[in-house]
Amino acid sequence: MAAVIGTTAAIVGLLNTALTLVQQIRSAWDRVNGNSKALQDVCEQLDSISTSLELVRDESRLHTAEVEAQVSSITAVMEELKTFFDGLRIEQEKSKLRQFGHAVKSGDKDDKKLAGINSRLSGARQELVLRISVVHVGLTGNLQDGFQVAQRVVMEINENVKRALGTQLRIAEMLEARSLTTAEVVTLREEEVEELGLRYDQSSGARQSGDDKTAGAADETNNLNWHKNTTGDDPKLLVGNLGLDESEKAAVVKASITNSKFGKGLGVTVGTVGKEGAQSFNENFWRKW
């Protein structure tokens, strides 16, 4: 229970911050001169980001540590975007005093920088959509006794996900592939347990495989494999890069966090935080809730 409460409290705070940033960036966007493609792309991106975040805010059953980590990553990029627009506004106000207007034009320095930030924001949103799609809503049980799925719950949340994101929950797609059934609770078959990645070795917490070479081994492609751990309150996990210049190309960061219990105030970030967003990230991420 502590894990659920801690994760929910942390993600609600992050969502409020992120949605406030969306409003602030939109306001700043309205005051910027220019009609470059990057400016228009940002406007469309903010609509998509807002819809995704509102879905997570309104559906508490999507409040997992993995989803929270990606909301945190999105928030960090938006902090960077807000800083960019604030600086651009100041520069444009100075330009007006010098009797000429500074506008963002396609291909200029500001336009390229904005396009880079927007590209990372788009990637962060796509990762959020992916993490939402693999949330195991309506699932109960264990390996010994078997897993059951509340079919009505899955389909109800799946409709909200489809409406907001245009994609489906993986667990809903799996149920739809079955023969039609009106059962409220569906027991997962062995192959479905495997498909959802629910089969973990009880001693190591690692995913079992039919291949003896990989059975019981952690995924070596992950930067972090966090399995069967218990923390106190205000745990913070940062997996990735902090304060990189936009010219630096960071490798993709991956983490697996499963079968763990977290105290209140959980904070998880998996990804890269740019140089401009690093200060704001540090001020917010490490604080206690």
Side-chain angles (χ1 to χ4, degrees):
M1 182 59 70
V4 175
I5 294 173
T7 302
T8 297
I11 199 171
V12 167
L14 277 172
L15 287 164
N16 288 337
T17 298
L19 288 168
T20 298
L21 278 169
V22 169
Q23 295 175 349
Q24 292 173 340
I25 294 170
R26 277 176 172 159
S27 178
W29 184 91
D30 287 336
R31 296 194 297 271
V32 169
N33 297 322
N35 59 358
S36 74
K37 182 178 185 301
L39 276 174
Q40 300 305 316
D41 288 344
V42 165
C43 184
E44 295 176 5
Q45 189 67 244
L46 289 175
D47 289 339
S48 298
I49 289 287
S50 181
T51 300
S52 303
L53 294 174
E54 287 170 355
L55 168 68
V56 179
R57 179 197 62 190
D58 296 339
E59 185 46 78
S60 62
R61 287 166 290 191
L62 297 176
H63 292 185
T64 66
E66 290 79 8
V67 169
E68 186 215 348
Q70 199 55 32
V71 171
S72 180
S73 296
I74 288 173
T75 302
V77 180
M78 288 201 298
E79 288 277 11
E80 187 178 350
L81 184 58
K82 180 179 181 297
T83 298
F84 171 84
F85 275 117
D86 288 343
L88 196 61
R89 176 180 55 82
I90 293 172
E91 179 60 32
Q92 290 190 342
E93 289 176 352
K94 290 180 180 178
S95 297
K96 290 179 182 178
L97 294 176
R98 295 196 295 263
Q99 304 302 313
F100 65 90
H102 175 91
V104 179
K105 301 176 182 178
S106 294
D108 69 10
K109 180 180 178 182
D110 289 329
D111 184 65
K112 291 180 180 178
K113 186 172 184 179
L114 180 58
I117 298 173
N118 192 48
S119 177
R120 284 188 282 115
L121 188 58
S122 175
R125 178 191 172 271
Q126 291 173 12
E127 178 64 21
L128 176 64
V129 172
L130 175 61
R131 294 189 184 196
I132 289 173
S133 70
V134 296
V135 174
H136 299 151
V137 298
L139 180 71
T140 59
N142 53 57
L143 286 173
Q144 182 176 353
D145 301 323
F147 290 96
Q148 294 78 40
V149 176
Q151 186 167 224
R152 182 184 59 79
V153 172
V154 172
M155 295 311 175
E156 174 186 312
I157 299 175
N158 190 55
E159 284 302 311
N160 294 334
V161 170
K162 283 198 298 184
R163 187 162 48 249
L165 306 180
T167 190
Q168 292 200 75
L169 295 172
R170 183 178 174 189
I171 193 170
E173 290 180 328
M174 187 186 68
L175 291 177
E176 288 179 350
R178 277 178 168 236
S179 301
L180 292 178
T181 175
T182 58
E184 283 288 321
V185 178
V186 177
T187 299
L188 295 185
R189 301 164 180 157
E190 186 69 20
E191 62 270 21
E192 293 170 334
V193 171
E194 291 283 354
E195 183 181 343
L196 292 176
L198 296 171
R199 181 166 294 284
Y200 285 85
D201 180 77
Q202 296 299 304
S203 59
S204 67
R207 188 177 186 275
Q208 293 181 343
S209 168
D211 183 351
D212 291 339
K213 294 181 181 179
T214 59
D219 186 349
E220 295 181 357
T221 65
N222 288 330
N223 300 85
L224 173 70
N225 287 293
W226 184 279
H227 303 300
K228 283 197 168 183
N229 290 303
T230 301
T231 75
D233 288 345
D234 292 303
K236 308 297 180 185
L237 295 177
L238 170 59
V239 186
N241 306 285
L242 180 62
L244 291 183
D245 291 327
E246 63 174 349
S247 60
E248 298 180 77
K249 294 184 178 180
V252 175
V253 179
K254 296 171 61 180
S256 175
I257 303 173
T258 60
N259 296 355
S260 296
K261 295 181 179 180
F262 297 94
K264 297 184 297 182
L266 172 65
V268 181
T269 292
V270 180
T272 297
V273 180
K275 184 176 181 180
E276 293 184 357
Q279 181 178 350
S280 176
F281 175 86
N282 276 328
E283 291 174 352
N284 291 281
F285 182 73
W286 306 109
R287 67 181 177 178
K288 293 183 178 181
W289 294 92

